[in-house]
Amino acid sequence: MTMMLTDLPMAIQRSDFAGDFVWGVSTSSYQIEGAAAVDGRVPSIWDTFAATPGKVRDGSTGAVACDHYHRWEEDLDLAQSMGLNAYRFSIAWPRIFNGVDAEPNAKGLAFYSRLVDGMLARGLQPWCTLYHWDLPQYIQDQGGWNNRATVDLYLRYADVMTRHLGDRVKHWITHNEPWCTAMHGNWDGMHAPGNKSLPLALQVCHNVLLSHGRAVPLIRANVPDAKVGIALSLHPVMPASDSATDRAAVSRHDALRNRWFLDVLYGRGYPAQALALVGADAPVVEPGDLEAIAVPCDFLGVNYYFPEVVRDAPDEYPLRAQIVFPPDRQRTDFGWEVAPDGMVTLLERVARDYPTGDLYVTENGSSYDDHLEDGLVRDTARRDYLIRHLAAVRDAIAGGGRIKGYFAWSLLDNFEWAEGYLRRFGLTYIDYETQRRIVKQSGEWYSAFLRGA
């Protein structure tokens, strides 16, 4: 399906948003840094997973990726040249500690200090994500996030990083997408460490959320003027038909996909509906855990990509629901539905139902099969996706949402997890053989938009 120009909100402009609106891009350490064995970095679960035959579609790893570890200045120059005022990055825990009882790695600390200084020198507000899935393998060897002791290891890591960078970094995200950490990593096995156990996944999820809740006051103690939040991958859930059974399936699916996180973060505990569905597979919750998880935060990060359409499926444990893919929808080359209206629905729902405070779109982007031709990447579909979703953010704000910023995913093409290098999400094309960076048409449009052109 080809997008017609008449379908695009071409009149959108930066002046439609508040003057202090945060405009950024998001990245993550394992996806771009490379330098997997440089300056004291030790293996992460993703190094192990990617090295296991059959786990990554193209057989690749993040060992080199975009070589951002050595090319960070060029990449920050790109971000500055686009007219951004913020840059979201994550820290690689395996660069900071090489063992449970080890002292912090000075070279790892120095790298992130240089990176933050580079952002500030270019007028980019640093937004730091402490955990974006690259758990040190030595921690996984002791049970990983299923082991409650990992919460304490995470707190020590968070303590070191906030003390080290807190004089310059004021915006902190404890975790990126705990759904993916827990469910893709431990239920369907699509991501590292590749387990396939629902009770394991739910316990991992609880421990990750507990580490978030316990980290928030620690971060605030180390960085008194910090703004602290968490970034969730959320989806509006739609029924496959108007039948009562499909509508009921929506409620069951939403209970685990969205409310499992939102309810507990905002003081309601885990949804009774979801607990009834998972039964004995529910996580062990110790006294005080739910109160810790529900610590008030300064903002919520929402990562939005597409809606999920579900139908009643009585044989599908535990939700008795199944995701389906209607054939009449516009999709990216990754197969994800292009639905900017879904972003409006989601942001309005979250703002209406939960006391989130400020909302930020911390990821939003699209994957297309880009090609470099005559030195250019004419990714018109991604440019149009960006235009339509920025218009959706504008509409959600007009509807009363306290949305204070937008981070496009991503600055660079990168290692796309289980897809390897087969998927490109970047506003900048990476020629992986030469590591040459070429700003795509979408990146040029974003830059023009941000500069008021």
Side-chain angles (χ1 to χ4, degrees), residues 102-168:
E103 292 300 309
N105 173 23
K107 290 183 177 179
L109 293 174
F111 169 70
Y112 290 108
S113 190
R114 292 193 301 272
L115 187 64
V116 167
D117 286 346
M119 294 176 210
L120 294 172
R122 291 164 176 81
L124 299 168
Q125 187 180 74
W127 283 63
C128 180
T129 303
L130 284 167
Y131 186 76
H132 199 130
W133 310 351
D134 44 356
L135 186 73
Q137 181 61 43
Y138 65 82
I139 298 179
Q140 183 62 38
D141 292 342
Q142 298 186 0
W145 282 110
N146 188 49
N147 183 352
R148 195 175 170 99
T150 300
V151 175
D152 293 323
L153 296 177
Y154 173 82
L155 293 175
R156 183 180 180 222
Y157 159 64
D159 182 56
V160 166
M161 294 316 306
T162 51
R163 288 180 185 275
H164 185 66
L165 299 177
D167 59 330
R168 289 155 289 166

Side-chain angles (χ1 to χ4, degrees), residues 24-32 88-90 129 132-133 176-177 303-305 334 336 361-367 382 385-386 406-417 423-428 440 442 446:
V25 288
S26 285
T27 62
S28 89
S29 51
Y30 189 74
Q31 292 182 271
I32 67 171
R88 180 179 170 223
F89 69 108
S90 76
T129 303
H132 199 130
W133 310 351
N176 182 75
E177 298 186 344
N303 295 356
Y304 172 77
Y305 289 97
F334 202 165
W336 294 358
V361 177
T362 37
E363 287 183 27
N364 175 239
S366 55
S367 174
R382 182 178 293 102
Y385 178 102
L386 183 58
Y406 175 91
F407 292 80
W409 183 271
S410 178
L411 176 65
L412 310 171
D413 291 337
N414 54 45
F415 178 81
E416 186 48 42
W417 307 116
R423 305 297 179 186
R424 293 180 178 268
F425 278 88
L427 300 174
T428 303
K440 302 176 188 177
S442 58
Y446 196 30

